[in-house]
Amino acid sequence: MSLKLARGDTYRIPFEGRPRDYSFAKKLAGGSLIFIDSISGKPVPFDERKLAKMVKERVAVQVLSSNWLERIDIHALMDDTAPNTPLEVRKKIEAAQAKVAEAAMLLFYVHRVDAAVETVSDLAAFIELRYKAALASGHFHKPSASALYRALKKGAPGERNLADLISKRGKHNKRQWKDPWVVKKLDEAVEHYYSEGTPQPPQLQEVVVTFLGQAIEEDRRRQARKEDPLKYPKRTAVENYIRGQETFERLTRRDPIKALKLYNGKSEGASAEFPLQHVQVDQTQIDEWINIYDEDGNVEDRKRPYLVSIIDVYSRMLLAAILTFDKPSTYTVQLAIKQMLRPKDFLVERWGYKKGSTDGSGQPKTITFDNGVENVGFSMRTLLGDSGIDMDVAPLATPQAKAIVERAFQTYNQGVWHSAPGGIPYKPHVMSARKLNSQEKAQWALDFATGVMWHWIVNVYHLNRNRTLEAIPARLWSEKVNDPMVGRAVSKRLDLVDVICGTRVRLKIDGAGVRYNGHLFNHQKVTHDFLLATLPVEKRSRRGRGKVDIEAIIYPHDCSHITIVDHVRNRFVRLPNSKPRFAEGLSYAEAALIREGDRSLDRQFVSEEDLILAKYNYFKLIDNARAQARAERAIRQAKKAKKKAVEEELVIWTLVDGDHVELGIIEPSVRGDAPYDIPQEMAILERKGSSRSHKDQARGVTKGRETREINKQLKELKHRAEDPTLAAPAQREALPVSASIPVVENPSGFLDALADDLD
């Protein structure tokens, strides 16, 4: 007999005459099973075969979970006589209530078997003997002996509850495919989908169709060989299997950016609906030097202590703050948890109630740790398990997952440490540039620094308005903690109310409307008005994504419309179904039946196998075209590389005695369109044409005008010099003529005569 154990499974085993509970932790490589003792908290090894034998002999009895909400159908808590209840929902309610009635009947007989003085050997006779008493108690159905025997196998004797005996008929596990061909091809499909791809990874439809096409061909080959037909998963099962095999490494190969967003802690941040629902823990070294004194009061050393802080996500109340010189370890975290779980009497004695500012304590439901060795160790898990606290570990090297407590450390620094003597207000390079030495200015001791820190927490931080929450932390904490419906603990009754009233869902809306359960709800004008009122008040980090988070109210019996809550204008907005055929008041189940009928008609028109084979052949054709394109591209790149290598190769001519070298010039053709007449190694001659060279554009209008005026005057003077008759007589008479200086009337003749004399 082999045991199927999951982490947290608890078995009740006799120990020294008394039963003791052991919770399964892990399985070692050698086959030993490690359990945690519920009393001592120590790990206890068990042999798998011996434990299986003890379970078979009913010596070891499995203790079921105390969270009975997980083991009961929610329809059993509803009223089937409520008006406007759809027929399908009424059937589910009646079936769930019948299971509860059957469990109550079995519990009636089981309690009497456990209370019997002697061991009951004949269960059938025992049922007949107790049947009249069962009728008087309202149990009209008589169980069979085998049903009572199966009920006695559940839970521990004397401690069985109603939820332990509720039948789980109708719940199925995921189907496993054992055919080697199917297992191999499914693994290939997963690796094909989560691949880098060239130039992009394949789509899910392409991978699924490829698998189904290969499966159909294999099935036909087996039928041709008269073998058993191939049993393979259908389209939806293949899609779910491929999505279920997603890991960080696989998604990194396919889409690195998406992998970082999903697995690297970059989420929208933690949220909570009431105090102590979710808290965050982290440790850091503060930005201040603290003095260490000896017995005589002299400063012996200076160090930067570590701060362990626990903050409530809902109200931002600081539930614990420990200053210690010890490095982060399980011990320092346990000190903070101890301070969080107990009332802070030392604060009440000093400041009183202080409007709830000194009242930050209690047991959380979920606590988020850093992914450090001191936090995720075996002892820490054991401690939290014994305390009834669910533990959540942040991803490695992702401070975004603990953004609230990380931001609290910054608030500590700005409020206390940076302004304190010995504080470090700047980065190391800035401190060095300003020649600041905070270590020499340290004045506070550890106890005094702790007192100053709590003084700031109680009187400033808890009473200061938080900009993110837009409220005071102490007020948010006091309102919920003092509310009798909430208090300091998580109420199972409150969880039950949330499950029953779970008709509100979180959806997203954009310009196209709201999508839910395959239906699109949209009204162009109403949606536009809602977005105009909602988008301006959205957070800047969410703007630009195209979708807005909304709270919607769903009516399962009516898919004709959906109601969304407008928190900006304090109203309800109703959007109709975009499909007219579903806007007649049909339920979601009836709409699903209509769609299924349409799909069946489509399958009758074109069989799914033919369509898959057609798509499969198309994808093979595309793959062949891609392969041919890649081959041609490789050939072109090889030719280009070869040509480049030839061009870059340096040719050196080596001349020896007797070599003949001839130099010559070959004139190009007139038009220059005969390059084949000129060898490539000949130099190119510049062609000289009759056309003038192009003049550059004028660099300035004024300068061009002046240049043209000067050239005009020079041309006129030259023309007059060549023709003396054009000179004006009045101008010649006006010129003063000296008798000793000869008058030259013809400059050209004068220059010619002067040249002859010089010769």
Side-chain angles (χ1 to χ4, degrees):
M1 177 181 178
S2 60
L3 293 176
K4 295 182 180 179
L5 299 175
R7 180 181 292 272
D9 290 351
T10 304
Y11 284 85
R12 183 158 297 173
I13 304 174
F15 178 79
E16 295 182 355
R18 296 179 58 188
R20 182 174 292 185
D21 294 343
Y22 297 88
S23 299
F24 176 68
K26 63 180 178 179
K27 182 178 181 180
L28 300 179
S32 299
L33 304 177
I34 302 300
F35 284 78
I36 302 299
D37 192 342
S38 61
I39 298 179
S40 63
K42 297 181 179 180
V44 179
F46 279 89
D47 184 77
E48 186 174 5
R49 294 184 178 179
K50 293 182 179 179
L51 181 61
K53 183 179 179 181
M54 294 171 65
V55 173
K56 184 178 181 180
E57 295 176 354
R58 302 294 297 171
V59 177
V61 181
Q62 185 177 6
V63 180
L64 300 179
S65 173
S66 60
N67 187 6
W68 63 277
L69 288 176
E70 299 178 354
R71 294 178 281 122
I72 189 171
D73 192 351
I74 191 61
H75 293 91
L77 306 174
M78 298 182 181
D79 185 10
D80 59 340
T81 61
N84 301 326
T85 302
L87 178 60
E88 183 179 358
V89 178
R90 184 178 290 108
K91 290 182 179 179
K92 292 182 179 180
I93 294 174
E94 294 174 353
Q97 291 179 351
K99 288 185 178 181
V100 173
E102 180 184 5
M105 176 265 299
L106 292 174
L107 187 64
F108 174 84
Y109 290 96
V110 166
H111 281 173
R112 279 149 182 79
V113 172
D114 295 339
V117 179
E118 299 179 356
T119 303
V120 179
S121 58
D122 191 356
L123 294 179
F126 183 84
I127 293 173
E128 292 291 340
L129 185 63
R130 298 292 189 277
Y131 182 61
K132 291 185 178 180
L135 289 176
S137 300
H139 305 296
F140 303 103
H141 179 69
K142 181 188 296 185
S144 62
S146 58
L148 181 57
Y149 176 78
R150 289 192 299 267
L152 292 172
K153 294 294 183 180
K154 298 179 181 180
E159 299 182 5
R160 299 182 178 92
N161 298 319
L162 178 66
D164 300 338
L165 303 179
I166 294 179
S167 175
K168 296 182 179 180
R169 291 191 300 269
K171 296 183 178 180
H172 304 282
N173 298 326
K174 294 183 178 180
R175 185 174 181 181
Q176 301 292 334
W177 304 96
K178 300 181 180 180
D179 192 290
W181 188 94
V182 175
V183 175
K184 179 182 177 182
K185 291 300 180 180
L186 283 176
D187 295 339
E188 293 179 358
V190 171
E191 295 300 326
H192 185 202
Y193 180 71
Y194 295 104
S195 61
E196 296 180 0
T198 304
Q200 61 182 3
Q203 299 297 325
L204 182 61
Q205 179 188 6
E206 180 180 350
V207 178
V208 173
V209 169
T210 301
F211 170 82
L212 295 178
Q214 295 174 352
I216 293 173
E217 291 181 348
E218 177 66 18
D219 184 32
R220 293 182 178 180
R221 285 193 293 267
R222 292 188 180 186
Q223 292 180 3
R225 296 194 299 265
K226 297 183 179 180
E227 299 178 356
D228 295 335
L230 177 65
K231 296 181 180 180
Y232 57 91
K234 302 303 179 184
R235 180 191 297 271
T236 305
V238 177
E239 293 178 356
N240 295 335
Y241 179 82
I242 294 176
R243 291 193 182 99
Q245 298 300 315
E246 177 185 301
T247 60
F248 175 71
E249 292 77 11
R250 288 172 176 169
L251 189 58
T252 301
R253 291 197 302 265
R254 177 176 175 83
D255 192 346
I257 298 178
K258 185 177 180 181
L260 289 175
K261 290 182 179 180
L262 294 179
Y263 293 92
N264 208 20
K266 295 181 179 179
S267 59
E268 295 181 359
S271 61
E273 298 179 358
F274 48 86
L276 297 174
Q277 182 188 11
H278 188 188
V279 301
Q280 293 183 356
V281 184
D282 203 358
Q283 308 179 66
T284 187
Q285 198 171 17
I286 67 173
D287 294 341
E288 184 184 1
W289 293 95
I290 299 296
N291 293 334
I292 300 176
Y293 296 92
D294 56 10
E295 297 178 355
D296 299 331
N298 301 320
V299 178
E300 183 180 9
D301 194 4
R302 292 184 177 92
K303 290 184 179 181
R304 293 174 55 190
Y306 290 89
L307 172 63
V308 188
S309 182
I310 303 180
I311 189 171
D312 179 57
V313 173
Y314 172 77
S315 62
R316 302 299 195 268
M317 284 279 289
L318 294 175
L319 306 179
I322 301 292
L323 273 182
T324 176
F325 288 113
D326 296 329
K327 292 184 178 181
S329 62
T330 306
Y331 172 73
T332 58
V333 177
Q334 289 179 0
L335 288 178
I337 294 177
K338 182 178 179 181
Q339 189 181 78
M340 173 188 63
L341 296 177
R342 290 164 175 77
K344 296 177 177 54
D345 296 332
F346 64 97
L347 298 180
V348 178
E349 293 176 359
R350 184 175 180 183
W351 290 290
Y353 184 70
K354 200 65 178 182
K355 297 183 179 181
S357 184
T358 59
D359 192 30
S361 62
Q363 178 174 326
K365 181 180 179 181
T366 304
I367 185 168
T368 300
F369 284 94
D370 188 14
N371 198 341
V373 178
E374 68 276 6
N375 296 329
V376 297
F378 187 81
S379 58
M380 177 56 65
R381 293 180 182 272
T382 304
L383 173 68
L384 295 176
D386 292 341
S387 302
I389 302 175
D390 295 332
M391 183 177 123
D392 186 13
V393 180
L396 183 64
T398 54
Q400 301 90 344
K402 312 181 305 299
I404 297 176
V405 68
E406 293 286 349
R407 181 62 180 86
F409 287 147
Q410 183 180 353
T411 309
Y412 274 109
N413 293 329
Q414 296 175 353
V416 183
W417 311 127
H418 287 176
S419 58
I424 308 174
Y426 306 108
K427 296 292 184 181
H429 65 280
V430 180
M431 297 286 293
S432 177
R434 297 192 177 192
K435 297 181 180 180
L436 299 177
N437 191 350
S438 302
Q439 188 173 1
E440 296 179 355
K441 299 181 180 180
Q443 299 179 5
W444 291 357
L446 187 64
D447 294 338
F448 185 83
T450 303
V452 173
M453 177 186 65
W454 277 111
H455 186 281
W456 171 81
I457 292 174
V458 172
N459 296 280
V460 179
Y461 178 79
H462 284 172
L463 301 178
N464 190 32
R465 183 179 177 84
N466 187 282
R467 289 184 297 177
T468 303
L469 301 178
E470 297 183 351
I472 298 175
R475 180 179 67 83
L476 293 178
W477 174 269
S478 301
E479 288 177 353
K480 289 292 185 179
V481 168
N482 296 328
D483 187 356
M485 294 299 296
V486 181
R488 296 181 186 270
V490 179
S491 173
K492 293 183 179 180
R493 198 64 189 175
L494 183 61
D495 288 347
L496 178 61
V497 173
D498 292 339
V499 173
I500 296 176
C501 302
T503 56
R504 295 197 177 192
V505 295
R506 294 285 183 178
L507 301 176
K508 293 182 180 295
I509 186 173
D510 55 5
V514 182
R515 291 190 178 275
Y516 174 75
N517 199 13
H519 296 268
L520 177 63
F521 302 90
N522 184 30
H523 187 280
Q524 185 176 2
K525 187 66 172 62
V526 177
T527 305
H528 179 69
D529 293 342
F530 177 82
L531 292 176
L532 285 180
T534 309
L535 281 175
V537 299
E538 275 288 303
K539 295 182 179 180
R540 290 191 176 184
S541 59
R542 297 183 180 179
R543 291 184 185 176
R545 299 185 180 180
K547 293 186 178 181
V548 179
D549 294 335
I550 61 171
E551 185 178 5
I553 301 177
I554 305 299
Y555 300 97
H557 58 276
D558 189 2
C559 68
S560 62
H561 68 279
I562 190 173
T563 305
I564 59 178
V565 183
D566 188 352
H567 295 283
V568 178
R569 298 178 179 176
N570 295 327
R571 60 171 184 166
F572 292 101
V573 179
R574 177 169 171 169
L575 296 179
N577 199 319
S578 60
K579 298 292 184 182
R581 60 176 181 168
F582 296 142
E584 302 296 335
L586 299 177
S587 65
Y588 286 94
E590 293 170 343
L593 292 176
I594 293 175
R595 288 181 171 178
E596 182 60 30
D598 295 341
R599 294 192 190 98
S600 63
L601 293 177
D602 293 339
R603 287 192 292 267
Q604 293 176 5
F605 185 78
V606 178
S607 64
E608 186 176 1
E609 290 189 358
D610 294 340
L611 185 59
I612 290 175
L613 286 177
K615 292 182 179 180
Y616 174 57
N617 294 327
Y618 169 74
F619 286 135
K620 286 199 300 184
L621 180 63
I622 294 299
D623 290 339
N624 294 334
R626 292 174 181 172
Q628 184 177 359
R630 288 194 295 267
E632 293 177 355
R633 181 183 178 186
I635 293 174
R636 289 196 302 269
Q637 290 180 351
K639 289 183 178 179
K640 186 176 180 180
K642 184 177 180 181
K643 182 179 179 181
K644 185 177 181 181
V646 172
E647 291 178 354
E648 294 178 353
E649 184 179 0
L650 180 62
V651 179
I652 301 176
W653 298 96
T654 304
L655 301 178
V656 298
D657 296 339
D659 289 345
H660 177 71
V661 179
E662 182 178 356
L663 301 177
I665 298 176
I666 300 177
E667 295 289 342
S669 60
V670 177
R671 297 177 57 187
D673 56 355
Y676 50 83
D677 294 336
I678 305 175
Q680 294 183 0
E681 60 269 11
M682 294 301 296
I684 300 176
L685 297 180
E686 181 182 1
R687 185 186 302 117
K688 296 181 180 180
S690 59
S691 60
R692 292 183 178 182
S693 60
H694 185 272
K695 292 181 63 177
D696 293 336
Q697 296 182 358
R699 288 174 291 179
V701 179
T702 305
K703 185 176 181 181
R705 188 184 300 110
E706 293 177 356
T707 304
R708 287 192 295 272
E709 187 66 27
I710 293 173
N711 292 337
K712 183 179 180 181
Q713 293 179 5
L714 291 176
K715 185 177 180 181
E716 184 179 354
L717 290 175
K718 184 177 180 181
H719 184 61
R720 289 178 179 179
E722 292 178 355
D723 191 359
T725 60
L726 298 177
Q731 188 176 2
R732 289 199 300 268
E733 294 177 358
L735 293 174
V737 181
S738 176
S740 61
I741 300 175
V743 178
V744 180
E745 296 181 356
N746 190 356
S748 299
F750 174 75
L751 293 176
D752 293 340
L754 182 60
D756 293 339
D757 293 341
L758 292 176
D759 292 339

